[in-house]
Amino acid sequence: MSEPEVVATSEAQIAVHWKEEAYIQPSAQFIAQANMTDPYVHDRFGLDRFPECFKEYADLLDWYAYWHTLLDTSDAPCWKWFVGGKLNVSYNCVDRHLTKYRNKAAILYVPEPEDEAHVAITYQELYVRVNEFAAVLRDFAGVKAGDRVTIHMPMVPELPVAMLACARLGAIHSVVFGGFSGKSCGERIADSGSRVLITMDSYYRSGTLLDHKEKADEAVKTAAEEGQDVDKVLVWRRYPGQYHSATPMQDGRDYFVDNELKTHVGSRIEPVALAAEDPLFLMYTSGTTGRPKGCQHSTGGYLSYVAGTSKYVQDIHPEDVYWCMADIGWITGHSYIVYGPLSLAATTVMYEGVPTYPDAGRAWRIAEQLAVNIFHTAPTTIRMLRKAGPDEPQKYNYHFKHMTTVGEPIEPEVWQWYYDVVGKGEAVICDTWWQTETGGFLCSTLPALQAMKAGSAGPSMPGIHPVIYDENGDEVPAGSGKAGNICIRNPWPGGFQTIWGDRERYVSTYYGKYCRNPESKEWRDWPYFTGDGAMQAADGYYRILGRVDDVINVAGHRLGTKELESAGLTVEEIAEAAVVPVADDIRGRVPDMYVSLKPGFDAGPVIEAKVIEAIETIIGKIARPKHVYIVPDMPKTRSGKIMRRVLAAISNTMDIGDVTTLANPEVVESVRQMVQGEGMVVTQEGPEDLKLFGEER
Ligand code: WTA
């Protein structure tokens, strides 16, 4: 491989200024044991071999009936993969491993309190638990194939047990991140039409046993207000037999799972043979409008894609100990804690709590004690661990062969610390770029075949063919130093099927911009619009800039500006609200909130506090704004649109640009003074994605 060139600063509409980083090669030791070493793999998965190339992913699974049609495009752009095939995800992740791996750990669970012992759940034990809980779901809660079940739980093994039990029955699970509020959970219950909610009484976070069941009451109330009744709330207990919540159990609605399990001891539930295109789960994510969208993922396509990418990118072998620090409530946890690793008979680690609790060495102690050799986390956590204990990793005797970073762009200096200090110079790093919608990785290096380059997600995955379009739909070539909208030319098995109950939104959001012919049944006419800005270097590696739509990536979590704004607008004094991302050393981006008041109200700390409280209770603490600025008026276009771009520039002390065409240019200076103080205008270059934010498109 030749040395990377320095990409010249271009005068493009969106100038990209970063310099190219050097290549780093994987070690011979890593290559010698890697799952994917075929230098021709990208040819095997070339566009001329599409879609047949994906047969090899399907062949990683066990099928009750083999499929007859690899890709059916007749209902474009709702693609159907492996049509005619029948399988069950719970069978593929549990039962089929019993012959060889019955007594191997499937899940290693680490409770947050350090005096509570680790728990090793073997494949046999997982099989027993999944069956017994499936029996509770089917025979006690009346759950059957096609029903939606909402799961709002912390990071405990009962969560994957619940997911796999749903999958065994063919019920569609919708896991809501445990940190989300009861209200957010309730909206998702209503949207999905779930009659059953699975929750837990409490869990540990930073040394405190938090009451979680109280959120279930709020969730059920919210769902009912939106017209969806929940008739059973199944409550796991963090300590079976002891209830740690201040909220009473509601008679005839709330049931302790440990009690119900007693009558199902020894139950075995035959896995239901599902069609490959039957939905496996919904995962809600943020978009441009206030309402979160339920991304619907399939059974056969999804599982084969996460199995394939876990095997070839994460290099998981059954004898590895794999730890992904994400929360299962996000897509990363679904694909790369639960389904990908378990489909490969891996040992997957789950940690209940905060990575720096009770001190900065905790994560590395866990790695040492469990002999973790594959590690997976997000830049926001890497920054946090680095800040809390830059020298901690060397105090512990663990050795990673492989590390992943996911969820946000990673700064080259943070990448370097991850490589040198966390990975001790021994581990390869895969920077994996993908989305809730895409089910699995879109871009990453294949670790034994392609060199690493700090800050770059690498080339595309085998069988994924990206293209960068400018605003007119013309291709932006590699090495041009210009960025544009990164799209994927072709469908792939892991891609979501639709937005639950809203096909129109699915079509318009992801295909509206670049579809060549809305009548076409030909996949080539339907490039998938990711919503990310990116540039491609001359060597083919992609560098992801971040979202081009109204989404803020806070500590790796996607939040829609509209969701935050609507939460702010529930405060009665607020007339208008605008949310913008502001750069933050640890969390990447955090929201800044600008509000203007209705006439007759005066600005003050009480209103600021009300706005923060509204956001925390409606969405959750992760969405808490860094600042709430009460402004006299919002900068607006002549058509009355709030200029979020201008507010983002102010929050980030970036160049505000030309504001003379605004309806009220004088407001800009008063807002700027309020935020930055009087005196000289400070301007800085600012991160690339913030330059894109709020561009009118
Ligand atoms: C961003 C998380 C840069 C991107 C799996 C994407 C990344 C959004 C990377 C999806 C990466 C994810 N480098 N940016 N390696 N991975 N992103 O749906 O903006 O929670 O569109 O899925 O995160 O976030 P989501």
Side-chain angles (χ1 to χ4, degrees):
M1 227 174 259
S2 60
E3 276 305 295
E5 297 166 38
V6 174
V7 174
T9 303
S10 80
E11 292 307 310
Q13 181 195 1
I14 305 157
V16 176
H17 300 284
W18 49 51
K19 77 175 202 344
E20 283 286 271
E21 302 290 328
Y23 290 121
I24 298 185
Q25 301 294 342
S27 68
Q29 204 182 357
F30 179 83
I31 296 171
Q33 59 80 64
N35 280 330
M36 175 53 75
T37 49
D38 173 10
Y40 300 106
V41 60
H42 281 279
D43 299 336
R44 276 201 279 137
F45 281 82
L47 260 188
D48 55 330
R49 311 288 276 278
F50 180 86
E52 295 74 37
C53 53
F54 283 113
K55 177 180 184 302
E56 35 180 298
Y57 280 14
D59 289 346
L60 295 171
L61 306 182
D62 283 5
W63 299 78
Y64 297 121
Y66 205 60
W67 42 273
H68 51 70
T69 305
L70 210 124
L71 172 62
D72 173 355
T73 63
S74 61
D75 191 26
C78 295
W79 318 113
K80 293 192 188 73
W81 285 90
F82 310 127
V83 181
K86 297 236 182 245
L87 76 167
N88 183 281
V89 166
S90 156
Y91 178 85
N92 273 281
C93 291
V94 187
D95 306 37
R96 69 163 171 162
H97 303 317
L98 294 178
T99 26
K100 258 176 104 176
Y101 300 113
R102 191 181 297 278
N103 288 316
K104 190 182 98 90
I107 297 174
L108 291 176
Y109 168 57
V110 181
E112 194 194 70
E114 246 178 322
D115 53 7
E116 273 185 38
H118 299 163
V119 180
I121 299 173
T122 62
Y123 272 95
Q124 172 68 17
E125 174 68 11
L126 185 62
Y127 171 78
V128 169
R129 292 199 195 190
V130 168
N131 273 280
E132 291 178 354
F133 188 62
V136 171
L137 282 181
R138 188 187 70 182
D139 300 340
F140 175 68
V143 171
K144 54 181 194 322
D147 289 354
R148 277 79 57 209
V149 173
T150 297
I151 306 179
H152 193 205
M153 288 180 65
M155 281 291 286
V156 291
E158 290 80 359
L159 172 54
V161 166
M163 293 160 71
L164 290 163
C166 286
R168 199 165 188 88
L169 300 173
I172 305 168
H173 61 68
S174 164
V175 178
V176 178
F177 169 56
F180 268 143
S181 65
K183 197 160 186 321
S184 291
C185 177
E187 285 166 7
R188 286 157 176 77
I189 291 174
D191 190 85
S192 63
S194 302
R195 283 185 313 103
V196 173
L197 170 65
I198 305 173
T199 187
M200 187 166 235
D201 67 333
S202 61
Y203 64 99
Y204 276 102
R205 194 99 199 132
S206 290
T208 311
L209 191 62
L210 299 180
D211 187 339
H212 187 65
K213 162 65 167 55
E214 62 180 14
K215 290 187 176 175
D217 296 273
E218 179 71 27
V220 172
K221 188 168 141 250
T222 303
E225 284 162 10
E226 296 198 12
Q228 177 64 38
D229 289 326
V230 171
D231 39 57
K232 284 207 170 51
V233 178
L234 302 178
V235 185
W236 294 91
R237 286 189 277 194
R238 175 68 175 69
Y239 299 97
Q242 303 168 29
Y243 185 47
H244 290 281
S245 166
T247 25
M249 294 287 281
Q250 190 166 311
D251 248 7
R253 187 197 75 182
D254 301 350
Y255 300 90
F256 289 128
V257 176
D258 48 307
N259 287 347
E260 298 312 319
L261 280 171
K262 285 179 192 148
T263 48
H264 292 91
V265 173
S267 292
R268 297 292 178 264
I269 303 287
E270 214 26 58
V272 177
L274 297 160
E277 68 270 27
D278 281 339
L280 174 63
F281 67 85
L282 307 179
M283 167 62 63
Y284 282 85
T285 191
S286 298
T288 334
T289 64
R291 200 159 180 85
K293 36 195 184 187
C295 294
Q296 177 184 317
H297 281 282
S298 72
T299 297
Y302 171 82
L303 194 68
S304 56
Y305 197 69
V306 298
T309 48
S310 297
K311 180 160 182 178
Y312 300 129
V313 179
Q314 311 238 264
D315 200 52
I316 297 179
H317 304 59
E319 52 278 17
D320 289 322
V321 180
Y322 167 83
W323 183 17
C324 170
M325 264 207 210
D327 193 289
I328 292 176
W330 306 110
I331 192 71
T332 300
H334 276 50
S335 300
Y336 298 114
I337 297 179
V338 181
Y339 290 122
L342 294 180
S343 71
L344 298 176
T347 296
T348 187
V349 176
M350 285 182 68
Y351 172 52
E352 178 181 31
V354 174
T356 49
Y357 180 84
D359 58 59
R362 182 66 191 277
W364 319 124
R365 278 202 291 287
I366 294 172
E368 180 185 88
Q369 283 168 23
L370 303 182
V372 172
N373 68 339
I374 307 180
F375 185 68
H376 184 159
T377 192
T380 184
T381 310
I382 303 171
R383 292 183 213 111
M384 180 175 89
L385 290 163
R386 177 183 181 216
K387 187 170 182 207
D391 305 318
E392 284 298 303
Q394 70 201 39
K395 299 181 189 160
Y396 297 93
N397 183 24
Y398 68 82
H399 293 278
F400 296 153
K401 69 165 184 177
H402 186 295
M403 304 193 298
T404 299
T405 166
V406 63
E408 299 161 75
I410 183 164
E411 301 78 0
E413 61 279 17
V414 176
W415 190 99
Q416 202 63 49
W417 180 80
Y418 195 36
Y419 184 78
D420 293 335
V421 180
V422 178
K424 305 181 177 180
E426 300 165 336
V428 294
I429 296 183
C430 286
D431 181 342
T432 59
W433 167 69
W434 60 296
Q435 313 177 304
T436 303
E437 294 85 340
T438 70
F441 305 144
L442 293 176
C443 285
S444 163
T445 49
L446 287 169
L449 292 170
Q450 292 151 343
M452 299 162 254
K453 196 164 79 175
S456 279
S460 60
M461 289 281 89
I464 302 286
H465 302 279
V467 54
I468 299 177
Y469 287 127
D470 68 13
E471 284 305 300
N472 307 321
D474 292 324
E475 292 187 18
V476 179
S480 63
K482 295 183 192 171
N485 295 315
I486 184 165
C487 298
I488 311 297
R489 291 180 198 271
N490 60 299
W492 65 98
F496 69 140
Q497 302 177 295
T498 187
I499 294 173
W500 180 257
D502 201 347
R503 181 189 169 124
E504 234 170 83
R505 189 174 176 196
Y506 166 78
V507 177
S508 63
T509 308
Y510 300 98
Y511 301 95
K513 198 172 170 80
Y514 294 119
C515 176
R516 294 194 190 92
N517 167 15
E519 303 305 317
S520 173
K521 305 293 175 208
E522 190 27 75
W523 58 262
R524 287 180 184 78
D525 291 324
W526 296 90
Y528 167 77
F529 177 75
T530 65
D532 278 324
M535 62 169 284
Q536 190 181 22
D539 61 8
Y541 281 40
Y542 292 93
R543 191 141 183 178
I544 307 298
L545 283 78
R547 308 288 311 179
V548 298
D549 54 11
D550 295 329
V551 170
I552 304 182
N553 193 330
V554 181
H557 301 150
R558 264 166 79 173
L559 297 172
T561 49
K562 287 284 184 312
E563 282 170 87
L564 282 110
E565 290 165 6
S566 353
L569 287 168
T570 61
V571 175
E572 62 159 323
E573 294 90 340
I574 305 297
E576 284 184 308
V579 167
V580 301
V582 48
D584 181 272
D585 282 353
I586 301 294
R587 308 213 299 156
R589 302 285 173 269
V590 289
D592 253 4
M593 182 136 196
Y594 290 82
V595 294
S596 64
L597 303 183
K598 292 177 186 159
F601 292 107
D602 293 324
V606 178
I607 296 182
E608 286 172 27
K610 275 190 175 175
V611 170
I612 288 176
E613 199 200 310
I615 288 176
E616 288 189 353
T617 48
I618 294 170
I619 301 173
K621 282 206 168 56
I622 50 163
R624 184 189 168 101
K626 186 163 189 172
H627 303 103
V628 175
Y629 297 114
I630 304 180
V631 296
D633 197 5
M634 299 283 182
K636 287 192 182 139
T637 60
R638 297 215 165 111
S639 60
K641 224 173 157 259
I642 300 178
M643 287 297 285
R644 288 179 183 74
R645 178 181 64 76
V646 171
L647 296 171
I650 293 175
S651 273
N652 292 284
T653 58
M654 285 161 60
D655 184 9
I656 291 167
D658 182 17
V659 293
T660 51
T661 58
L662 295 191
N664 52 356
E666 68 290 349
V667 163
V668 175
E669 184 51 23
S670 69
V671 173
R672 194 195 63 75
Q673 286 199 12
M674 163 184 283
V675 174
Q676 299 174 353
E678 315 236 340
M680 280 196 12
V681 182
V682 197
T683 57
Q684 63 176 35
E685 272 300 322
E688 300 296 335
D689 64 309
L690 295 179
K691 291 185 192 159
L692 297 173
F693 182 81
E695 286 286 309
E696 284 189 66
R697 271 156 213 277

